[in-house]
Amino acid sequence: MTATLPTESTDAAQASTLRPAWVTDARVASWLRWVCTSAGAGTASRTALAPYDALPTIAVPDSTVEDVAAAVDAARHAQAAWSALPYSARAEVILRFHDLLVERQDEIMDLIQWEMGKARFHAWQEVLQVANLARHYARHGEAYLKPKKVRGAVPVVTSAKEVRVPKGVAGFISPWNYPLYMGVGDLIPAVLAGNAAVGKADPQAPLSMLWARALMAEAGMPEHVWGVVAGDGPSLGEALIDHVDYICFTGSTATGRIVAQRAARRLIGASLELGGKNPSIIRADADLDVAARGVVDASFANTGQMCIHLERIIVHTDVYDEFVVRLRAVTAAQTVGQTFDFSSQVGSLASAAQLEKVSRQVADAVAKGATVLAGGGPRPEVGPYVFAPTILEGVTDDMELCLGETFGPVISIYRATDDEDAIAQANRGKQGLSASIFSKDIAAAEAMAPRIRAGSVNINDGASLAAGSIEAGMGGMGESGLGKRHGSDGITRFTNAQTIVSSKVGPVGPPPGTPVEKFIAMANKQLVVLRRLRVR
């Protein structure tokens, strides 16, 4: 399925000409029905602009804060029956969703590109990641949640176990940069754990989430187990935190602080994946061709609009000049375009706001003395929000992009005298989400990795290996967030640990008729014996 780009300018009052042909009015209506809105609430709605032509997509009804409360209430009523199902029954729904997603992936790739502007390969990566997560948690989630037997208070006559129970209703505030992966990938383990969910669709890319919700319904998920609200971010986000039992947020560090503070007032748990200013270390022994490819892939993927993309490249001085030559060559070979096929490696930024931010940061750096080694500015001849893949040298602390997240196709490159210097540079700033090391000596790189403040460290890869290792937790240190997605943490975070203890003899204490002093003396002797026997 493809859409055709306009060959001439289009009047700004028109709707986007890129609407895929298969997106009929009937299909749109089938998605919009999943927006939680009050009956007769009026016609308030908002329409995003398609990045490829800066023209409106499709109007999506606005939810109100009252709609959020109603959606959570409906989810809470649905959660009881959903959690009562065997895990295998919930898993069957997710596996059917997996199959439908793989079968209809062209549809969601079209929508993601239309709403967000990324290259098609990076849209496909969202399909890949969500499919892998669906299979993984459907097959292994029950084992992650398996009751754990522990020793009772009194051997033989008492027993104890720890079980996992769902929190109730989990709330999700997901960003525009990965509307499928972030909108659905975290939700899958939450509902498999027995929770219901309410997700807030980002105003830039609501259709992708609504498409996924319709697909999940086709797979068999009951109507109110997953509710979707759409509209104003701050007001709906606050309302969601005020009603759910757990909040899962992905976004900026500044907003993450607000989410954490509001969740803390209600004493509910929160997982936060926030911003990063991610470094890559190129050691003196690195394969420079591998390093250049890896850096370019991780820096300009998703047009640089991903939390784990590389922004700071720290190169050993002995190989710096040669690495720069190769890095510029690989960067120059990237095809920048707006196509609904796989011919472009770098797509558009998502919005005028993103273009303004990236342009401002690069202009600030250049004005203060940074040197442009590649790119350096917008590409309006390609598209309204396109920015060229950019490499900067000579970035200093007084420049906004030095330690501030750019979230665009821009990297800065630095020299390091040795590994110690490289680690010190990598640990600058307060964020710690992702990092990478390129080296032929994997053992040496693995020894360096724990000294870098980052939730994930990729060796001889820029970012994707850690993100794709879904049995391992993924999250940040420092100001890059709290909690982990993926692995066991990715599902247990949506549960409460409950301890269940049993006694075969009733209450444990002095038997009837036995003096308390005698009971205590017997217990003290037991303590001495257990210590001598090294019993824990």
Side-chain angles (χ1 to χ4, degrees), residues 109-431:
M109 287 192 290
D110 280 353
L111 281 181
I112 290 171
Q113 288 195 276
W114 189 35
E115 291 194 291
M116 197 257 150
K118 66 179 68 182
R120 197 168 187 82
F121 177 73
H122 303 129
W124 173 80
Q125 286 182 320
E126 293 200 51
V127 174
L128 174 68
Q129 192 78 331
V130 171
N132 283 339
L133 288 166
R135 286 197 327 280
H136 177 72
Y137 284 114
R139 296 305 187 201
H140 299 285
E142 190 170 20
Y144 289 141
L145 302 177
K146 184 178 180 181
K148 177 184 177 183
K149 289 186 178 181
V150 296
R151 190 178 62 189
V154 180
V156 181
V157 298
T158 66
S159 62
K161 62 181 177 180
E162 184 181 89
V163 301
R164 291 280 174 177
V165 296
K167 286 185 177 289
V169 179
F172 297 86
I173 303 175
S174 55
W176 47 262
N177 60 324
Y178 281 91
L180 178 68
Y181 170 39
M182 298 297 182
V184 185
D186 286 325
L187 179 139
I188 284 171
V191 296
L192 280 170
N195 298 281
V198 177
K200 189 191 79 64
D202 189 276
Q204 177 62 41
L207 300 176
S208 295
M209 179 181 285
L210 294 171
W211 178 93
R213 180 60 187 94
L215 202 70
M216 194 72 82
E218 190 172 340
M221 176 170 284
E223 181 167 3
H224 296 297
V225 170
W226 175 12
V228 179
V229 293
D232 179 65
S235 62
L236 296 189
E238 290 178 357
L240 195 60
I241 299 167
D242 288 346
H243 289 89
V244 297
D245 304 304
Y246 185 87
I247 191 71
C248 179
F249 171 80
T250 303
S252 71
T253 299
T255 305
R257 292 184 189 278
I258 297 171
V259 171
Q261 290 167 0
R262 200 170 188 96
R265 287 201 291 269
R266 291 194 58 230
L267 296 179
I268 65 169
S271 56
L272 312 169
E273 184 178 293
L274 309 178
K277 191 70 177 180
N278 307 303
S280 181
I281 294 174
I282 315 300
R283 298 186 74 230
D285 70 339
D287 182 319
L288 299 186
D289 288 325
V290 170
R293 293 199 311 271
V295 166
V296 166
D297 286 348
S299 301
F300 306 135
N302 215 47
T303 322
Q305 298 168 121
M306 62 178 183
C307 53
I308 60 173
H309 89 118
L310 299 178
E311 295 201 17
R312 298 182 293 137
I313 315 303
I314 303 161
V315 187
H316 194 286
T317 189
D318 290 351
V319 296
Y320 181 92
D321 292 336
E322 181 58 28
F323 177 73
V324 167
V325 170
R326 302 187 193 201
L327 181 64
R328 293 175 73 180
V330 178
T331 300
Q334 298 291 292
T335 301
V336 181
Q338 300 192 145
T339 61
F340 283 78
D341 56 29
F342 294 99
S343 61
S344 299
Q345 286 82 52
V346 180
S348 173
L349 290 170
S351 65
Q354 283 300 108
L355 180 66
E356 189 280 328
K357 177 185 177 182
V358 174
S359 300
R360 184 188 71 247
Q361 287 199 1
V362 172
D364 170 74
V366 172
K368 293 174 180 175
T371 301
V372 176
L373 300 181
R379 294 281 304 276
E381 78 281 7
V382 179
Y385 305 147
V386 173
F387 197 93
T390 296
I391 305 171
L392 298 177
E393 184 180 52
V395 171
T396 54
D397 287 2
D398 61 333
M399 301 172 187
E400 184 181 353
L401 61 65
C402 181
L403 294 176
E405 186 178 39
T406 302
F407 220 62
V410 179
I411 57 176
S412 50
I413 186 165
Y414 306 85
R415 292 180 184 267
T417 56
D418 54 26
D419 287 347
E420 293 299 318
D421 183 26
I423 292 170
Q425 291 192 51
N427 287 336
R428 296 195 66 211
K430 297 180 180 180
Q431 297 169 322

